[in-house]
Amino acid sequence: MTDRHHLLVHGGTFAAVGDGGDISGVRGSGAPDGLFVRDARHLSRWQLTVDGAVPEALTPVADGDTARCVLVPRGGRQEPPAYTIFREQAVGDSAFVESLRVTSNRPVPTTIRLAVTADADFTDQFELRSDHRTYTKIGATRSRQALDDGVEFSYQRGEWRSCTTVTAEPAPDGVEETGTGARRLVWTLELEPHGTAELALRVTARPHGAVQSARIPDSPAAANAQLLALEGEFAEGVPFPTGWPELAAACARGLADLASLQVTATGPDGEELRVPAAGAPWFLTLLGRDALLTSLFALPYRPQLAAATLPALAATQATETGANSVSQPGKIVHEVRHGELAHFGQVPYGRYYGSVDATPLFLVLLGAYVEQTGDLALARRLEPHARAAIGWMLDHGGLTSRGYLVYRADQGGLANQNWKDSPGAICSADGTRPSGAVMAAGAQGYAYDALRRTAWVARTVWEDEVYAALLEQAAGDLRDRFQRDFWMPERSFPALALDGEGNQVDALASDAGHLLWSGLLDKEYGELVGRRLLEPDFFSGWGVRTLAAGQAAYHPLSYHRGSVWPHDNALIALGLARYGLHDEARGVAHALVDAATAAGHRLPEVIAGYGRSTHAEPVPYPHACVRESRSAAAPLALLTAVGGA
């Protein structure tokens, strides 16, 4: 998000507003503004005017769960402002609420004309991305209807129907047409000398296919109270470290963000679940890899995340092969979308399976969850899904035929299907992209851990010794192959990937730290890798870079070629601790906590790779998600890795 937009998030709803609380709906600004529910923009314009002019922000909106600002008419020293407006906004499930308090600064009666111009374009979020794609919407219609206390906007395209209702208390004196499709709600306010008038506005979104929430708040204060109660419940009982207050603050901030990032999903038996969304603004939905890693980081402290994520992903597990969705039997979903374009098949992300690593991570989380909680019932319930996931890894995934998990670029979707999924993220040190099939290093570590953990579940819960032995043998064979094929002796480091011909993709990348987390490397190799990750070309002082500096492919402002990702570093810290490299783990943890402290204790999705020695503050990555579930859970992983040290 840019510094001109401020994000409010509650469940599957978010709003992005400007410094004065307005929504412009202008496209191409790099970040979406508006009110969004289930991938659609339900409020595309929201502009306050007084006497026909836009007031200026005396106190602009600051970061927080409630947007508050103070507005005055434009003027100079010789003419003090005639009035002051105190504006407050918040979101609830499928709702946006605002309170306006207008105070006269004059000693005589004053009349002002206040107006709010509103519109709802129902644009799909994919239409707002900066990829220059356009989508045809044959037969789509929009309508507006004035109400006694506001206005209702509707959208229909075939069976697809959505609605946004704007109401106010007191009711507006009129609802005017603007000539653009927007509607203007107007009030004539008669203010006594130094008197005050208050207005309450409420926006309710009814997206296609959604069940209307029964807890829409009446005011920003009520919405804030709902969210604070949820955040308090989410953080209750977590043992924050007393000797490291900065880590404690990062954990508390992360838990609060996780509370607001919960979205609804459905389990195998139709039960409603709440799972961690990937992040806002672009990914306020279920992403398999993101939900699994978030649940793993939070597992020792909030196992209910895993208890919801596992059945939600089991319910969306693929049962057949689909070319557009990249689905194959047993594969765990990568992304679930609820928008219009997904509904009509204009984007493949309704249920999209373009991930090579969500399936092994599903098995890793299942094994870790059972070990942590002793919940044998869930392990038994999900046994068919776990066996299907193993089947996918061995069959379609490539473990049997190629020896490794394999993916190929999806022309309609993602070029890369590991966690570094941007085009060009998997590359050689000189920046060359591999051709053909790709075998990414990190995914092989996840597969190894998945085989071992599922073998343990098979033996202890399913009582299938033969199956357990088969999986253990497959894990041992994978480990031997990997260290033979991926290890680069001249660099004492594993390759980032193998290409379709089995050649090493030789970039030095942070993915090697994931191999420590998975336990794929033997002790000698693991210690070499762990220490190498803390050398200056990798370690920026704010964390380990995704790609070591000094390579031709390195760029500090690239999404995956030199930036620093908090969740990536959390996995590295856990891996370092696993291999007994506790000083190195503490170094990574302190760097991340310092980065969080510099940003109000919140870790963003990603930060730039510039070094701390030359930049005393972390440099933001320009297009990062402001709130991201893996980053929110990362401080909990650091707490697991190093305690309160």
Side-chain angles (χ1 to χ4, degrees), residues 505-522:
V505 181
D506 65 353
L508 301 182
S510 63
D511 303 59
H514 297 215
L515 305 176
L516 304 182
W517 176 64
S518 299
L520 183 57
L521 300 177
D522 66 25

Side-chain angles (χ1 to χ4, degrees), residues 122-153:
F122 301 98
T123 300
D124 191 289
Q125 206 169 350
F126 281 93
E127 297 178 83
L128 299 172
R129 299 193 179 192
S130 56
D131 56 8
H132 308 295
R133 298 186 187 184
T134 58
Y135 302 91
T136 302
K137 297 182 172 183
I138 298 174
T141 59
R142 292 173 57 198
S143 60
R144 302 97 181 155
Q145 179 181 355
L147 307 174
D148 290 341
D149 57 352
V151 62
E152 184 169 273
F153 301 92

Side-chain angles (χ1 to χ4, degrees), residues 257-526:
D257 284 349
L258 286 175
S260 68
L261 285 169
Q262 302 300 295
V263 296
T264 57
T266 303
D269 298 323
E271 71 274 23
E272 183 175 299
L273 304 164
R274 294 193 68 83
V275 298
W282 294 113
F283 299 101
L284 200 60
T285 189
L286 174 63
L287 267 64
R289 178 194 303 123
D290 297 62
L292 289 161
L293 287 172
T294 298
S295 299
L296 278 161
F297 291 166
L299 182 58
Y301 315 99
R302 279 291 169 263
Q304 62 265 41
L305 290 182
T309 295
L310 287 164
L313 292 177
T316 54
Q317 186 176 31
T319 57
E320 57 187 22
T321 299
N324 292 336
S325 63
V326 204
S327 64
Q328 294 162 333
K331 202 173 186 183
I332 295 299
V333 75
H334 169 63
E335 184 170 353
V336 177
R337 289 288 182 175
H338 305 283
E340 175 190 358
L341 297 181
H343 176 83
F344 287 104
Q346 292 175 277
V347 297
Y349 303 110
R351 283 192 184 179
Y352 181 65
Y353 294 84
S355 166
V356 73
D357 49 14
T359 306
L361 286 171
F362 173 81
L363 296 165
V364 171
L365 179 60
L366 177 61
Y369 172 80
V370 175
E371 183 178 5
Q372 175 79 35
T373 66
D375 184 357
L376 306 185
L378 186 62
R380 294 190 182 101
R381 181 189 183 197
L382 298 185
E383 179 180 355
H385 302 280
R387 288 181 183 265
I390 289 288
W392 177 84
M393 291 203 307
L394 295 174
D395 185 7
H396 294 285
L399 277 183
T400 300
S401 60
R402 298 297 298 267
Y404 299 106
L405 292 183
V406 178
Y407 70 83
R408 292 169 178 79
D410 174 24
Q411 292 185 351
L414 295 171
N416 287 303
Q417 296 180 18
N418 63 319
W419 85 263
K420 291 178 176 173
D421 58 5
S422 61
I426 302 301
C427 63
S428 298
D430 64 2
T432 304
R433 302 183 187 186
S435 59
V438 175
M439 292 157 271
Q444 315 315 321
Y446 305 159
Y448 170 76
D449 199 16
L451 290 166
R452 290 180 64 255
R453 289 185 182 274
T454 309
W456 176 80
V457 173
R459 179 174 288 116
T460 59
V461 183
W462 304 337
E463 299 180 350
D464 191 337
E465 178 62 38
V466 173
Y467 191 59
L470 173 69
L471 299 183
E472 287 173 338
Q473 181 65 48
D477 292 345
L478 174 58
R479 182 172 184 166
D480 293 342
R481 282 194 304 275
F482 183 91
Q483 297 191 146
R484 178 193 69 209
D485 296 341
F486 278 77
W487 190 255
M488 300 185 292
E490 70 283 2
R491 300 191 182 187
S492 298
F493 207 77
L496 174 57
L498 302 180
D499 67 13
E501 302 300 319
N503 301 311
Q504 292 179 342
V505 181
D506 65 353
L508 301 182
S510 63
D511 303 59
H514 297 215
L515 305 176
L516 304 182
W517 176 64
S518 299
L520 183 57
L521 300 177
D522 66 25
K523 183 174 174 58
E524 178 185 357
Y525 285 175

